[in-house]
Every structure is written in structure tokens, then in C-alpha cells.
Amino acid sequence: MAATKTAAEVIVLRNLMRGQGSHRPARHRIADTLLRAKFRFSAELNQFLLESTYRIDPGQWQNFPFSDGDWEDARKISASRRSVMLENVVDLVEQHIVVNKETVNRLIEFSDLLSCALLETPEADPTGLFEKLLPVDRQSLFFWRVVAAANSQNGKLLARRISDEMRSTWATRKFLYPFVFFSVNQPPEGHIQTSLKYVLNGGEKEWERRLIEYAVGHQSSLIGNEAGFLWLSLLAHPFDALNLLCDVLEEHTSCGNTAPDALVECAERISNQVNFRRLNSMIRRHRGELIKFVNEPDIEGIQLPISKEAKSFYQSLILPHPLTAPPKDSDFLNSLARLRKEKYPSQLTYDQVVFSSRRWRFTEAGRLLSGIAYLLFMFPRSEWPTEYKQFLRLVDFYGGASVLLLMAPGVATASNRNKIFSKRWADLASEMEVRVEAIGSVEDRTWINLLHRCSIPDDHIDPRRSALFMARSILREVREGVGTC
């Protein structure tokens, strides 16, 4: 009887894919079949059928063509705790990405060019990079985010330019306003959920709200809801689906979780077809690669293809030496240099760097800038998963951890510090002590990292306290003999 039912479900899927021609018109019935299936059906469907179903039509394809039925499908799929559900969903997501790897590869190249421009010539207009993109590439959430970041200081102009790019009814009616609002205001990720309550009309379904939260920059709801989000990504651009997969794996890593095997195996299969550095880093982390300690990181550890001068400048931000000159004389790069050079950076310096990192948070450049700001204690302390995520982003960019990175927020007190490095923490702590004098002689913002190299008790980690407030509090306790460092 079970075999007959299995055969019947395979026949239904085959007929749906043959008859409808693509995933979109058949998606609700495919979801119903997934909810009934108790087996992994990808092996029962031939590759030609899967490719024809998930290959997008560049001339007619629309991003985010959601309807009310999609939120209900996502809710049911996410609520299913059968492992085969996630396996079946990731198999479809794999097809969605790999079958359309031409547009994915174009956006990977575009993403690299964009990050290079942001790190080398940040004041330049990035719209010149748009020329190589095809209309289907411009239907991605990634591209919409680029347009939004480039026009975030003019809400009306931004709304007009984004509405020109959006084709689907749901995107223009339900997503455009919150997307423009968050692009202009750039709240921290932790404030997105609360702020969204004042932007939405309150009539949204639970999964509609979750999708909007994620699309405007909130990742914390991904764990436990992977199948639902990945199912919805089948109606997003394949490059957006790839970035979602990376975000899911990143959240598992930062929380110290072992990601489901189906996710990691899917990522490995995709990486054999698509070369995406971010995905490769996530795979290595989940396969147990330990963080390399590099006393003096070589600039070749930086894989983003920026110039040699730019690599030297960004490398010097994490070394216990005076900074090298920025690759260009620019207000932003000078502010970034001051963030490291000044013991107490000004509000203007802080705003220039931090708001740029938020605007471009979806790019490698934005993740680097955010990581550097966290490294230099420019934010109130957070829970370890948040600080660990920022630390790992720096490790991925530089290809290892320098002495200064070991003094990043939370690293010295992390419960997993003896498990994540290629050396014992006691040996790394000795390496830090050897270089204390060299770091201290620079007399810049790293004074706060020197203070943090010791194991500060958890009761000092209060998100309401600024880094400067905590530093003064700890120094006062040391002077008074209440605490030791």
C-alpha cells in the first residue's frame, strides 16, 4: 500500500511539472504533494523534467509574485518536522539555483565589482556597474537592495526607481513601502521587527510578515523555519535563494548549531556548479574547519579582488601597527581610518562608517565594515551569537585571525574558544600578551581591545552599556581592587 501511494505521488509530481511548464503555476499542488510525501522524491524525477520546471524565462519572469496561498504553504511546510520535508525543499532550491546559474554567476561577478568599488572608491556612483546586467538580473532582491542603498538619501527618488524595477503586484503593493522605509531609515537589525509594526497595516499573514522582515534585513527568524523560507525562495531570484541559503548556514554557525545535513549537502552540490566565496566559507565552517591564527596576515589572504593598495590599507586595520594610507583620498576612507586612529572617534566618524555598513549590509563590503566597527567596540555589547557572527565575517575576509581579532568583543570569554581555533586558547592568549606592548604603543582605538584581552566577567556584558562606559567601569573596579584584569 505504501509503495502504491509513493508511486501515485511521483506520478502527480511528474504530471504537474509536465503540464504546467514551470514551478509557479503548479506550486500550490506541489506543496500539497510535499506535505503528503514520506520519501525523497528527487531521485524519482528525471533531470530534464526538473530543469524544464525550474528554468526561469528571462523575458517574462517576475520576482516575488506572492499570493495568500503562498503564506499558507510556507506555514504548513515549516510546521512539518519530518526531515524528508527539508530534504525535498532543498532539492528543489538546488535546481532553482543550478539550472539558472548564468544569471547567478552574473550577479556574483556584479557583487564582487560592487564591493570592490565600495571599498576603494566609496563616493563613486555604482550605477555604472549596472550596464552588464540583464533585465532578469535586475529582478533580484539583491539588485533592488543595491538601488535602494545608492538612493537611500532621497525617499521619493528611491520609491520611483524601485517601483520601476518591480513587476509583481505583491511587490509593488505590499513590499515597496516597507522596503523604502527601511532603506531610508536604516535601523539596526535588532530593531527591525519592532519598527515593522508601525509600517505594516496589521493585516499580513504570519509568513508574509516574516518574509518582509527578512527582505529588509532581519535574519534571526531563520533557524527553525528553514523549510518555509527556502520554499518561498523558489519565487525569488536564484541568487537571492543562494544568499538565503548562506544566511541560514551563517545563523546556525553563529548560534553554535550543527546545521541539518540536508542543508550542508545541498550547499556542497551547489558549490560544485557555482563558485561563490561566501557559500564556500559556510561549507568549510560546517565541515569543521578551524580558524587559523595568523600573526601577520598576508594581503593575499584577502580574496576579494581589490587593488594591492586597498588590501594593504584594510589589512592594516587589524594589525598592531600604525595604519597605512587609504588607497584614495576620500571622506569615507578617511573616516574609516579615523575610526581606528582616534581613541574616541567623533559622532560624525561613527555615523559615516556605521550607516554605510547598514546600507550595504547585504554585500561583502558591508559585512566587512560592520565587522570592523564591532572589532573596535563601536556598538553596545551583544549576545555572543551576534558578536561571533561579526568575528567570523572578519575571519572570512582576511583568511584568518590576527592578534587584534582575538581581542574582538566576546572572543576571550566565549564558551567555545577552545574548539574553534587551530591552536589552544592558552597558546593564543600567550601570543596576545607578547604583543601587548606593540599594540599599546600605537595609542589609537585599540586601547579598548587591550582592555578586553582578559576574560571580562559576563556581568559586564550589558547591551544597554556603551563600550566606553564598560571600559571605564572595569578600570574603576581594577583601581579599587574590586576586580582584576
Side-chain angles (χ1 to χ4, degrees):
M1 185 69 178
T4 303
K5 189 173 182 181
T6 296
E9 288 163 347
V10 170
I11 291 170
V12 168
L13 282 170
R14 287 174 179 165
N15 289 340
L16 283 171
M17 292 180 176
R18 286 184 185 128
Q20 298 293 341
S22 75
H23 171 82
R24 295 191 172 196
R27 64 187 186 271
H28 301 306
R29 294 181 66 187
I30 292 175
D32 288 341
T33 307
L34 259 65
L35 290 164
R36 294 194 306 269
K38 296 181 181 179
F39 65 99
R40 192 166 185 172
F41 59 69
S42 58
E44 307 295 330
L45 302 171
N46 68 63
Q47 189 59 32
F48 173 80
L49 194 60
L50 287 168
E51 287 184 8
S52 60
T53 302
Y54 288 95
R55 187 177 301 282
I56 61 180
D57 181 346
Q60 301 181 13
W61 191 82
Q62 298 177 356
N63 199 16
F64 286 3
F66 297 116
S67 65
D68 286 347
D70 294 308
W71 316 127
E72 184 62 12
D73 289 343
R75 184 191 68 78
K76 291 178 180 178
I77 286 172
S78 184
S80 172
R81 294 308 175 196
R82 299 199 310 271
S83 61
V84 72
M85 174 61 79
L86 182 60
E87 291 169 355
N88 281 329
V89 171
V90 298
D91 285 346
L92 298 183
V93 171
E94 177 189 347
Q95 294 299 320
H96 184 48
I97 295 168
V98 171
V99 169
N100 300 292
K101 62 183 178 182
E102 294 85 1
T103 182
V104 171
N105 284 331
R106 279 194 302 273
L107 284 168
I108 289 174
E109 181 182 4
F110 171 67
S111 174
D112 274 358
L113 292 172
L114 177 64
S115 284
C116 290
L118 294 172
L119 296 180
E120 294 189 76
T121 55
E123 279 86 10
D125 184 358
T127 56
L129 301 174
F130 298 177
E131 295 175 358
K132 293 183 179 180
L133 297 179
L134 300 183
V136 68
D137 308 329
R138 298 170 72 106
Q139 278 297 292
S140 64
L141 174 62
F142 183 86
F143 179 75
W144 295 351
R145 286 170 164 174
V146 173
V147 174
N151 296 278
S152 61
Q153 299 191 8
N154 187 330
K156 289 184 179 179
L157 177 63
L158 168 57
R160 187 167 68 250
R161 290 189 173 173
I162 288 293
S163 62
D164 287 345
E165 301 293 345
M166 292 180 174
R167 295 179 183 173
S168 78
T169 302
W170 181 86
T172 53
R173 290 184 180 177
K174 302 297 291 287
F175 182 58
L176 176 62
Y177 178 68
F179 184 64
V180 170
F181 175 87
F182 283 98
S183 298
V184 171
N185 292 284
Q186 295 298 330
E189 182 182 347
H191 295 173
I192 288 176
Q193 283 184 304
T194 303
S195 302
L196 200 59
K197 294 176 183 178
Y198 301 98
V199 178
L200 300 180
N201 62 27
E204 295 78 15
K205 302 288 187 181
E206 177 187 10
W207 270 92
E208 184 175 19
R209 176 180 50 77
R210 284 182 175 176
L211 188 280
I212 293 172
E213 283 176 1
Y214 170 75
V216 299
H218 180 72
Q219 291 185 197
S220 300
S221 299
L222 295 177
I223 294 182
N225 297 306
E226 299 92 340
F229 276 105
L230 289 167
W231 172 256
L232 292 177
S233 78
L234 293 169
L235 295 179
H237 191 279
F239 186 58
D240 300 330
L242 178 59
N243 270 307
L244 171 63
L245 178 59
C246 291
D247 290 338
V248 169
L249 292 172
E250 182 180 54
E251 287 301 308
H252 276 288
T253 300
S254 61
C255 291
N257 299 340
T258 300
D261 288 341
L263 288 175
V264 182
E265 291 166 2
C266 171
E268 288 177 325
R269 292 192 300 270
I270 292 171
S271 71
N272 290 331
Q273 300 288 325
V274 175
N275 185 21
F276 189 36
R277 280 193 311 280
R278 188 176 181 219
L279 181 67
N280 296 338
S281 295
M282 301 302 158
I283 293 170
R284 290 196 300 271
R285 198 86 64 218
H286 280 279
R287 288 307 185 201
E289 181 176 283
L290 298 175
I291 298 169
K292 225 176 18 174
F293 169 71
V294 187
N295 180 32
E296 297 279 343
D298 188 276
I299 61 171
E300 297 310 315
I302 299 174
Q303 297 299 305
L304 185 70
I306 52 178
S307 67
K308 185 177 180 180
E309 293 76 19
K311 286 184 178 182
S312 296
F313 169 67
Y314 285 98
Q315 180 202 40
S316 70
L317 289 168
I318 64 159
L319 293 180
H321 311 305
L323 285 181
T324 61
K328 293 231 178 350
D329 184 19
S330 100
D331 287 344
F332 177 79
L333 293 177
N334 290 334
S335 289
L336 183 57
R338 286 195 297 273
L339 198 73
R340 162 68 193 270
K341 288 162 72 173
E342 297 176 355
K343 287 188 175 182
Y344 305 101
S346 68
Q347 184 69 43
L348 178 61
T349 295
Y350 171 90
D351 287 347
Q352 282 188 295
V353 176
V354 169
F355 281 98
S356 182
S357 75
R358 288 178 186 163
R359 260 201 326 274
W360 300 102
R361 69 178 97 194
F362 56 95
T363 66
E364 186 169 359
R367 290 188 286 270
L368 171 66
L369 295 174
S370 178
I372 289 171
Y374 266 91
L375 170 65
L376 298 174
F377 288 79
M378 298 310 300
F379 299 108
R381 293 296 307 277
S382 303
E383 299 295 330
W384 173 234
T386 298
E387 295 179 338
Y388 189 33
K389 183 195 300 184
Q390 299 294 333
F391 170 71
L392 289 176
R393 288 174 173 181
L394 292 177
V395 168
D396 288 342
F397 182 83
Y398 289 106
S402 67
V403 170
L404 195 57
L405 289 193
L406 298 180
M407 301 180 188
V411 177
T413 55
S415 59
N416 61 341
R417 65 184 183 273
N418 282 308
K419 300 177 182 177
I420 59 178
F421 295 102
S422 57
K423 286 187 174 183
R424 294 185 314 145
W425 178 256
D427 296 331
L428 295 175
S430 298
E431 295 273 5
M432 283 192 285
E433 292 304 314
V434 168
R435 291 164 179 79
V436 163
E437 186 175 349
I439 297 175
S441 67
V442 178
E443 295 189 352
D444 59 11
R445 182 64 183 173
T446 56
W447 70 269
I448 199 166
N449 298 89
L450 286 176
L451 179 67
H452 185 76
R453 74 185 188 278
C454 57
S455 297
I456 299 173
D458 286 343
D459 59 5
H460 288 289
I461 303 176
D462 183 344
R464 294 169 298 176
R465 292 177 164 185
S466 69
L468 177 58
F469 181 95
M470 291 193 303
R472 287 173 174 166
S473 173
I474 295 162
L475 286 173
R476 183 172 60 252
E477 290 182 9
V478 171
R479 282 199 306 268
E480 294 172 356
V482 176
T484 59
C485 196

